[in-house]
Amino acid sequence: MRHPTDGTLRRLLDEPAGVADTDREHIAACPVCQCELAAAQQDAAFADAALGGVPTIDVDAEMAWSRLSDAIAVDEPRRATTVAPVRRWRTALRRPAVAGLGVAVLVAGAGVAAAMDWLPIFRTEQITPVTAPEADLVTLPDLSDFGELEVSEEVDIRPVSGVDAAEEATGLAVPMVSELPRGVTGDPTYHVGEEANALFTFSAEKTEQTAAAAGETLPPAPPELDGSRFRLTAGPGVAAVWSEGRPVPALIVARAVAPTAYSSGVPFETARDYLLSLPIVPENVASQLRGFSGDGTTLPLFMAAEELTSSATEVDGMPATVFTSRDGALAGVVWVDDGVVTAVAGSVSADEVLSVAHGLRWDR
Amino acid sequence: MVRRAGRKGGVEMSSSGRGSLRADLERIFRANYPRVVAVAARVLGSRDEAEDVAQEVFLSFARSAVPTGEAAGWLSVAAAHTALNHLRSGRRRATREEAAGKTAEVCPDVADTVVTLDERRRVRAALARLPRRQAVALVLRHSGLSYAEVAAALDMSTGSVGTTVRRAESALRKELNRHASSD
């Protein structure tokens, strides 16, 4: 007979009763399996030693309970104040940028959420460029092609009077630029956006319609995916914009709380693997997304290969992505620190945006 | 004011007129708090941090409609995920704290303390590099969940739990040995 799997050998160490008699008999008589079993035992003992050593038997549940009760009491009013729908930017949020971003966050966030209610499954901690021909990026489906996208708190970008108002509105520190690139003059104007929230409900029927419209037949969706819900949030954000005397801003320094996704219970890999398996997602894009680490912390930054080139660098010790337009008219650098995306971009050179990024000051 | 509201799985929710909370929260908290801390502590190697994670997990649970019967599994998975998320976000802070010589434990031998902290740092780094599903399965298994419980919590077959845990253990050992020999 064939050797039992390494998983069966592993289980034999913990739960021998869970292993079939035939497998147990084989393993007892098979030198190859005995050898594998010994290796599994050593690795298991090693892991046990590595993960142990923190005594938690005498935790004070009483004190912890009163701490939790206090936290709930404080948190409730704060949560209640965030429900304030604004209609203006509905269209902007629906298509295509934010909805497309929603797909990106969902397929990139591979953390498993085997829970019945919202569990964070994606938290932006780094950004990685995904480069593809523009034609492929344009055909990337957006979330409303796969189900119902309901925007509960929409993007509402508005100008504010100055840096203090911007910080007050967003709770984000606004950095000061030490030295402006040559040709960029004057004072910036400040713009802020509140946190945006959207709820996405997957629909097998809608996905089928989308595929049919694209002339494709899809593999059947995993049954638990139909009707499963994902919550997406991003923001608030703030931008300082230097546009004096120009139709296009000369320089923008922007910060925003990076997108986060929550799952209502479907194992997250189920959604990601299914979406990436669909023939309507261009294969070169899907393969780059599949290559992302499985921990749900990498936000893809889609770039049209004909227009932009990108390279990796560091800002403040954080990995950063520099992008430059092929005609040299535009450059930017973007990085994530502690869940906040910061971007410096403008109609300047890559060296100039990097010099601005390195020179940002956080004190005033 | 407390009222009943029907949610999936028949979970009783109480409401104060704003957000709604579970009626079974305190009972489930008392029954599961030690295990949630233990799961997080295996990831983080620090009891203080583990208790912070447990607070976060129970706050989410308080507003959830997880059926009471599935609460234990949900809480364990949430503890593992939240702790693994903390590994990444707290990594730089932890490095700074260690560099500054701040230690949580009182240890008579300074050399031992340094070795322990260094080992924990390595274990945390290695866990952070494992595929998330493997890391969660590994931590849950080593926190005492049975194969059936891990399978139910991660929505995988019982048969694949052994394979996933085995791979995680092998990868963890390789990671730790690789870094030990390259230091």
Side-chain angles (χ1 to χ4, degrees), chain A residues 210-276:
Chain A
T210 300
E216 299 279 1
T217 316
L218 297 181
E224 71 269 32
L225 196 55
D226 197 17
S228 65
R229 295 177 304 157
F230 299 92
R231 193 152 65 80
L232 308 164
T233 72
V238 55
V241 180
W242 284 262
S243 54
E244 200 173 75
R246 299 181 191 214
V248 178
L251 183 72
I252 296 176
V253 176
R255 303 189 79 214
V257 173
T260 304
Y262 302 81
S263 162
S264 70
V266 71
F268 195 74
E269 281 164 351
T270 308
R272 182 193 68 152
D273 292 349
Y274 182 68
L275 289 180
L276 287 182

XYZ file of all heavy atoms in Angstrom, chain A residues 210-276:
481
model
N -22.001 38.551 -15.419
C -20.819 39.285 -15.878
C -20.002 38.426 -16.827
O -19.537 38.876 -17.867
C -19.947 39.686 -14.667
O -20.725 40.507 -13.817
C -18.702 40.437 -15.101
N -19.834 37.160 -16.450
C -19.038 36.259 -17.270
C -19.729 36.003 -18.598
O -19.081 36.012 -19.657
C -18.817 34.953 -16.525
N -21.047 35.825 -18.541
C -21.793 35.564 -19.775
C -21.641 36.745 -20.721
O -21.452 36.574 -21.930
C -23.264 35.306 -19.446
N -21.682 37.966 -20.163
C -21.523 39.159 -20.985
C -20.142 39.197 -21.633
O -19.960 39.764 -22.704
C -21.742 40.410 -20.133
N -19.153 38.611 -20.940
C -17.803 38.585 -21.487
C -17.586 37.350 -22.349
O -16.481 37.085 -22.801
C -16.773 38.613 -20.354
N -18.653 36.557 -22.554
C -18.555 35.373 -23.400
C -17.821 34.219 -22.742
O -17.246 33.386 -23.432
N -17.827 34.205 -21.409
C -17.089 33.164 -20.699
C -18.041 32.299 -19.889
O -19.093 32.760 -19.455
C -16.074 33.783 -19.729
C -15.021 34.632 -20.398
C -13.879 33.812 -20.997
O -13.918 32.561 -20.895
O -12.975 34.426 -21.568
N -17.655 31.057 -19.682
C -18.385 30.209 -18.741
C -17.487 30.053 -17.519
O -16.283 29.837 -17.657
C -18.662 28.816 -19.335
O -19.092 29.008 -20.673
C -19.732 28.092 -18.543
N -18.079 30.189 -16.351
C -17.269 30.189 -15.141
C -17.318 28.850 -14.431
O -18.314 28.136 -14.519
C -17.802 31.240 -14.165
C -17.734 32.662 -14.651
C -18.271 33.586 -13.581
C -16.305 33.028 -14.993
N -16.255 28.545 -13.695
C -16.363 27.418 -12.774
C -17.414 27.791 -11.726
O -17.580 28.970 -11.420
C -14.971 27.337 -12.141
C -14.346 28.680 -12.378
C -14.977 29.230 -13.619
N -18.160 26.797 -11.216
C -19.194 27.141 -10.232
C -18.576 27.782 -8.986
O -17.491 27.374 -8.553
C -19.827 25.787 -9.900
C -18.842 24.757 -10.348
C -18.056 25.355 -11.456
N -19.261 28.810 -8.443
C -18.744 29.479 -7.237
C -18.889 28.536 -6.049
O -19.863 27.797 -5.959
C -19.534 30.751 -6.986
N -17.917 28.547 -5.126
C -18.086 27.746 -3.904
C -19.393 28.151 -3.225
O -19.673 29.343 -3.128
C -16.882 28.141 -3.055
C -15.906 28.758 -4.003
C -16.702 29.329 -5.130
N -20.191 27.182 -2.790
C -21.537 27.508 -2.277
C -21.523 28.517 -1.139
O -22.400 29.368 -1.050
C -22.076 26.150 -1.820
C -20.930 25.189 -1.858
C -19.906 25.745 -2.778
N -20.492 28.462 -0.256
C -20.516 29.371 0.889
C -20.209 30.809 0.495
O -20.429 31.734 1.264
C -19.547 28.888 1.983
C -18.074 29.054 1.637
C -17.490 27.823 0.953
O -18.246 27.145 0.222
O -16.291 27.555 1.118
N -19.712 31.007 -0.744
C -19.351 32.353 -1.173
C -20.587 33.171 -1.507
O -20.642 34.384 -1.272
C -18.426 32.250 -2.387
C -17.636 33.492 -2.780
C -16.827 34.006 -1.609
C -16.713 33.161 -3.949
N -21.612 32.494 -2.049
C -22.821 33.203 -2.451
C -23.454 33.860 -1.224
O -23.743 33.194 -0.242
C -23.791 32.227 -3.104
C -24.868 32.949 -3.894
O -24.683 34.144 -4.192
O -25.896 32.337 -4.183
N -23.662 35.159 -1.299
C -24.292 35.872 -0.194
C -23.327 36.279 0.910
O -23.722 36.953 1.856
N -22.051 35.896 0.813
C -21.119 36.293 1.873
C -20.773 37.779 1.722
O -20.822 38.340 0.635
C -19.856 35.440 1.826
O -19.166 35.683 0.628
N -20.471 38.410 2.857
C -20.322 39.869 2.853
C -18.905 40.290 3.231
O -18.245 39.645 4.040
C -21.310 40.485 3.842
C -22.754 40.277 3.446
C -23.686 40.825 4.488
N -23.401 40.240 5.796
C -23.718 40.819 6.948
N -24.313 41.980 6.956
N -23.433 40.223 8.082
N -18.466 41.388 2.617
C -17.170 41.971 2.938
C -17.361 43.470 3.179
O -18.124 44.118 2.481
C -16.182 41.754 1.788
C -15.932 40.311 1.498
C -16.683 39.638 0.556
C -14.967 39.608 2.200
C -16.467 38.296 0.299
C -14.749 38.270 1.951
C -15.503 37.612 1.003
N -16.694 43.962 4.189
C -16.784 45.391 4.472
C -15.434 46.016 4.146
O -14.390 45.480 4.511
C -17.108 45.614 5.948
C -17.511 47.004 6.286
C -18.428 47.005 7.505
N -17.767 46.540 8.718
C -16.969 47.300 9.453
N -16.728 48.543 9.109
N -16.419 46.824 10.540
N -15.468 47.131 3.421
C -14.237 47.799 3.015
C -14.232 49.211 3.595
O -15.228 49.912 3.506
C -14.177 47.905 1.483
C -14.393 46.587 0.734
C -14.692 46.850 -0.728
C -13.166 45.718 0.874
N -13.134 49.593 4.183
C -13.049 50.966 4.667
C -11.732 51.566 4.192
O -10.757 50.871 3.979
C -13.068 51.063 6.210
O -11.806 50.595 6.706
C -14.170 50.236 6.819
N -11.737 52.895 4.022
C -10.503 53.612 3.704
C -10.684 55.047 4.182
O -11.801 55.546 4.260
C -10.220 53.581 2.219
N -9.577 55.691 4.483
C -9.653 57.069 4.925
C -9.783 57.148 6.426
O -9.845 56.106 7.082
N -9.818 58.338 7.013
C -9.812 59.649 6.340
C -8.464 59.952 5.688
O -7.507 59.225 5.882
C -10.082 60.615 7.498
C -9.537 59.916 8.700
C -9.798 58.455 8.466
N -8.472 61.030 4.882
C -7.241 61.406 4.211
C -7.116 62.918 4.102
O -8.093 63.653 4.266
N -5.902 63.359 3.858
C -5.639 64.787 3.744
C -4.622 64.998 2.630
O -3.738 64.173 2.428
C -5.126 65.353 5.090
C -3.909 64.590 5.592
C -4.786 66.834 4.968
N -4.762 66.108 1.897
C -3.789 66.418 0.852
C -3.409 67.886 0.919
O -4.278 68.753 1.098
C -4.361 66.088 -0.527
N -2.112 68.151 0.809
C -1.625 69.530 0.643
C -1.265 69.674 -0.828
O -0.503 68.874 -1.360
C -0.407 69.760 1.530
N -1.849 70.661 -1.490
C -1.716 70.772 -2.945
C -1.113 72.119 -3.332
O -1.646 73.173 -2.946
C -3.107 70.612 -3.624
C -2.981 70.723 -5.142
C -3.741 69.286 -3.228
N 0.000 72.083 -4.064
C 0.596 73.312 -4.599
C 0.214 73.394 -6.069
O 0.660 72.563 -6.871
C 2.119 73.248 -4.486
C 2.664 73.482 -3.120
C 3.162 74.660 -2.634
C 2.805 72.527 -2.065
N 3.596 74.495 -1.336
C 3.390 73.200 -0.955
C 2.483 71.172 -1.923
C 3.664 72.555 0.259
C 2.750 70.535 -0.731
C 3.329 71.213 0.350
N -0.646 74.336 -6.396
C -1.057 74.408 -7.804
C -1.008 75.836 -8.329
O -1.593 76.133 -9.358
C -2.446 73.813 -7.971
O -3.330 74.447 -7.092
N -0.296 76.696 -7.614
C -0.290 78.108 -7.977
C 0.082 78.328 -9.440
O 1.144 77.903 -9.887
C 0.704 78.860 -7.091
C 0.460 80.351 -7.051
C 1.384 81.002 -6.028
O 2.576 81.146 -6.317
O 0.902 81.347 -4.945
N -0.813 78.955 -10.155
C -0.506 79.350 -11.533
C -0.448 78.193 -12.522
O 0.063 78.349 -13.621
N -0.952 77.022 -12.149
C -0.876 75.906 -13.104
C -2.213 75.171 -13.158
O -2.902 75.068 -12.156
C 0.165 74.875 -12.662
C 1.553 75.412 -12.567
C 2.410 74.252 -12.159
N 3.746 74.692 -11.789
C 4.822 73.976 -12.017
N 4.709 72.811 -12.603
N 5.998 74.400 -11.647
N -2.519 74.625 -14.313
C -3.760 73.857 -14.419
C -3.636 72.505 -13.695
O -4.603 71.985 -13.154
C -3.923 73.633 -15.925
C -2.568 73.830 -16.510
C -1.820 74.755 -15.592
N -2.442 71.925 -13.705
C -2.211 70.644 -13.039
C -1.370 70.930 -11.797
O -0.426 71.716 -11.874
C -1.450 69.684 -13.981
C -1.156 68.377 -13.285
C -2.229 69.459 -15.257
N -1.698 70.326 -10.645
C -0.905 70.620 -9.450
C 0.582 70.345 -9.672
O 0.947 69.352 -10.300
C -1.468 69.665 -8.401
C -2.837 69.345 -8.866
C -2.787 69.409 -10.362
N 1.409 71.238 -9.139
C 2.845 71.048 -9.271
C 3.338 70.005 -8.283
O 4.256 69.242 -8.556
C 3.555 72.379 -9.043
N 2.692 69.972 -7.110
C 3.136 69.044 -6.082
C 1.971 68.723 -5.151
O 1.184 69.605 -4.798
C 4.280 69.669 -5.272
C 4.912 68.770 -4.195
C 5.741 67.673 -4.838
C 5.786 69.590 -3.248
N 1.872 67.470 -4.780
C 0.849 67.040 -3.821
C 1.536 66.197 -2.744
O 2.332 65.308 -3.059
C -0.236 66.170 -4.494
C -1.007 66.986 -5.530
C -1.199 65.587 -3.473
C -2.027 66.166 -6.303
N 1.251 66.507 -1.498
C 1.678 65.632 -0.407
C 0.389 65.146 0.252
O -0.398 65.958 0.745
C 2.560 66.377 0.615
C 2.898 65.464 1.792
C 3.846 66.862 -0.054
N 0.158 63.850 0.208
C -1.123 63.331 0.703
C -0.906 62.192 1.682
O 0.056 61.436 1.569
C -1.969 62.848 -0.471
N -1.787 62.112 2.656
C -1.761 60.985 3.593
C -3.184 60.481 3.779
O -4.117 61.271 3.817
C -1.224 61.407 4.974
C 0.145 62.015 4.949
C 0.643 62.191 6.366
N 1.138 60.917 6.879
C 1.030 60.538 8.136
N 0.400 61.282 9.025
N 1.544 59.394 8.534
N -3.332 59.177 3.918
C -4.664 58.620 4.164
C -4.545 57.325 4.936
O -3.559 56.594 4.789
C -5.381 58.358 2.841
N -5.529 57.062 5.771
C -5.597 55.757 6.430
C -5.882 54.734 5.340
O -6.823 54.871 4.574
C -6.691 55.737 7.518
C -6.862 54.330 8.070
C -6.327 56.711 8.618
N -5.013 53.733 5.246
C -5.037 52.800 4.126
C -6.254 51.891 4.182
O -6.836 51.691 5.243
C -3.760 51.971 4.140
N -6.640 51.328 3.030
C -7.818 50.458 2.992
C -7.686 49.237 3.902
O -6.609 48.687 4.074
C -7.863 50.009 1.535
C -7.096 51.023 0.785
C -6.049 51.534 1.710
N -8.820 48.863 4.471
C -8.903 47.661 5.292
C -10.134 46.895 4.832
O -11.129 47.508 4.462
C -9.072 48.047 6.776
O -8.004 48.903 7.141
C -9.041 46.819 7.676
N -10.062 45.582 4.833
C -11.234 44.788 4.477
C -11.580 43.840 5.611
O -10.699 43.376 6.330
C -10.958 43.987 3.208
N -12.872 43.617 5.786
C -13.334 42.683 6.805
C -14.234 41.654 6.136
O -14.962 41.980 5.216
C -14.153 43.409 7.885
C -13.412 44.505 8.574
C -13.298 45.769 7.991
C -12.835 44.296 9.815
C -12.617 46.781 8.634
C -12.146 45.316 10.464
C -12.044 46.553 9.872
O -11.370 47.559 10.501
N -14.188 40.436 6.636
C -15.033 39.387 6.071
C -16.106 38.999 7.061
O -15.888 39.031 8.259
C -14.178 38.157 5.752
O -15.002 37.028 5.596
N -17.273 38.624 6.539
C -18.354 38.226 7.435
C -18.313 36.733 7.692
O -19.219 36.192 8.282
C -19.691 38.595 6.839
O -19.937 37.763 5.733
N -17.324 36.042 7.240
C -17.263 34.644 7.642
C -16.760 33.671 6.618
O -16.288 32.606 6.974
N -16.825 34.009 5.329
C -16.357 33.038 4.355
C -14.839 32.955 4.512
O -14.187 33.958 4.758
C -16.757 33.476 2.937
C -15.963 34.666 2.460
C -16.604 32.330 1.962
N -14.268 31.747 4.447
C -12.811 31.673 4.519
C -12.265 32.527 3.382
O -12.674 32.389 2.246
C -12.507 30.199 4.273
C -13.767 29.492 4.542
C -14.878 30.438 4.252
N -11.387 33.429 3.699
C -11.065 34.456 2.743
C -10.410 33.915 1.492
O -10.648 34.396 0.380
C -10.199 35.524 3.385
C -10.186 36.710 2.508
C -11.302 37.511 2.434
C -9.122 36.972 1.694
C -11.331 38.577 1.590
C -9.143 38.041 0.841
C -10.252 38.851 0.788
N -9.603 32.887 1.667
C -8.936 32.322 0.500
C -9.951 31.828 -0.532
O -9.684 31.826 -1.721
C -8.027 31.172 0.930
C -6.737 31.691 1.502
C -5.968 30.640 2.276
O -6.530 29.556 2.505
O -4.835 30.923 2.662
N -11.114 31.410 -0.041
C -12.151 30.947 -0.953
C -12.507 32.044 -1.948
O -12.569 31.826 -3.151
C -13.412 30.547 -0.152
O -13.020 29.634 0.864
C -14.450 29.910 -1.033
N -12.728 33.264 -1.415
C -13.108 34.378 -2.282
C -11.958 34.747 -3.213
O -12.137 34.914 -4.416
C -13.504 35.581 -1.432
N -10.764 34.845 -2.649
C -9.624 35.273 -3.456
C -9.330 34.256 -4.564
O -9.209 34.603 -5.728
C -8.378 35.442 -2.605
C -7.208 35.926 -3.436
C -5.906 35.803 -2.710
N -5.540 34.399 -2.525
C -4.281 33.984 -2.433
N -3.302 34.859 -2.489
N -4.016 32.726 -2.254
N -9.245 32.988 -4.173
C -8.896 31.972 -5.155
C -9.928 31.891 -6.268
O -9.597 31.728 -7.433
C -8.731 30.600 -4.485
C -7.507 30.574 -3.585
O -6.699 31.520 -3.655
O -7.348 29.622 -2.815
N -11.204 32.055 -5.874
C -12.241 31.988 -6.897
C -12.135 33.175 -7.847
O -12.127 33.017 -9.071
C -13.630 31.934 -6.252
C -14.720 31.807 -7.278
C -14.859 30.640 -8.032
C -15.595 32.847 -7.519
C -15.828 30.520 -8.993
C -16.576 32.738 -8.491
C -16.688 31.567 -9.216
O -17.640 31.452 -10.175
N -12.011 34.391 -7.298
C -11.928 35.573 -8.160
C -10.721 35.484 -9.092
O -10.792 35.830 -10.262
C -11.859 36.854 -7.319
C -13.149 37.252 -6.593
C -12.939 38.529 -5.792
C -14.288 37.444 -7.580
N -9.601 35.015 -8.553
C -8.390 34.952 -9.377
C -8.446 33.827 -10.407
O -7.678 33.812 -11.351
C -7.150 34.791 -8.491
C -6.734 36.048 -7.720
C -5.473 35.792 -6.924
C -6.526 37.228 -8.645
